[in-house]
Amino acid sequence: MNENTIEVGTLLSGRYEVMQVLGAGGFGATYLARDLARFGTICTVKTLLPLRQADEVSRRLFEREARLLADLSHPQIPKLDAYFEHEGRFVLVLEYVEGETLAARLRRETRLAEAACREIVLQLCDVLGYLHGRTPPVIHRDVKPANVILARDGRVVLIDFGAVREAIGRDETHTAI
């Protein structure tokens, strides 16, 4: 753990107890947490570094991610439970999806069966079709194995909407981002 991560056991917003660090990067960290106001339901907490360290662009992108997630409703996109500030950090609380990333599966199994690949691609096409069919269309821009969770219940879930862009103009041949 480094100075940019939240200590295990910390209580956020009086209800989300941090259980473990799932990952940390240059702009923030992701945690497994327990929602004490909902009978200990497990959730995912995503934070942006303390505001004095994060630039304004990063803060705006993080807030955009929260607003977008609040507006999305699809079984292959984690639901947003809360968005708030804690000790100078912006915090997103998301539905926890039990499973493993496609990146982790590919490290474990260097070759997937054709049927498994087909199922993953078809499910990704479904969620991307939902996003692209919105008005305005939503472009994820960071679809990669690390941002795809193979859920234990069989769903293929798209995560990390931090790089997402909404299309602001479109005609039959072009989409402006």
Side-chain angles (χ1 to χ4, degrees):
M1 184 162 81
N2 62 45
E3 74 268 4
N4 293 326
T5 57
I6 296 172
E7 189 173 327
V8 170
T10 300
L11 193 61
L12 305 172
S13 192
R15 69 183 275 186
Y16 304 102
E17 179 186 12
V18 175
M19 296 167 52
Q20 81 180 68
V21 179
L22 295 175
F27 290 103
T30 305
Y31 307 87
L32 189 65
R34 179 180 297 121
D35 184 350
L36 301 178
R38 290 195 326 176
F39 310 105
T41 302
I42 302 301
C43 55
T44 302
V45 170
K46 184 176 177 180
T47 63
L48 183 66
L49 283 179
L51 298 180
R52 65 187 178 281
Q53 295 177 351
D55 64 33
E56 182 63 20
V57 172
S58 298
R59 186 201 60 75
R60 279 199 323 268
L61 289 174
F62 199 77
E63 184 174 331
R64 179 186 294 181
E65 180 179 4
R67 288 182 186 279
L68 177 70
L69 286 169
D71 193 42
L72 297 177
S73 179
H74 192 279
Q76 292 168 262
I77 299 171
K79 292 175 183 62
L80 177 71
D81 288 331
Y83 174 67
F84 55 90
E85 189 178 329
H86 173 83
E87 297 179 357
R89 299 172 195 260
F90 284 108
V91 178
L92 291 175
V93 180
L94 301 160
E95 165 192 12
Y96 174 67
V97 178
E98 189 174 354
E100 69 178 332
T101 65
L102 179 55
R105 170 81 52 90
L106 291 172
R107 280 191 299 274
R108 198 168 39 79
E109 301 174 31
T110 56
R111 188 176 179 105
L112 297 179
E114 181 181 338
C117 291
R118 184 177 298 124
E119 181 61 26
I120 291 167
V121 169
L122 288 174
Q123 286 198 43
L124 282 174
C125 286
D126 182 53
V127 70
L128 291 172
Y130 166 76
L131 292 170
H132 297 177
R134 297 186 50 82
T135 305
V138 175
I139 312 298
H140 188 282
R141 290 191 3 156
D142 200 20
V143 178
K144 61 185 180 185
N147 288 339
V148 174
I149 295 180
L150 306 176
R152 293 204 195 283
D153 64 9
R155 291 178 298 150
V156 174
V157 178
L158 188 58
I159 62 168
D160 197 356
F161 283 73
V164 73
R165 293 288 183 267
E166 292 184 50
I168 56 172
R170 175 167 113 163
D171 62 26
E172 291 181 17
T173 58
H174 300 90
T175 298
I177 306 296

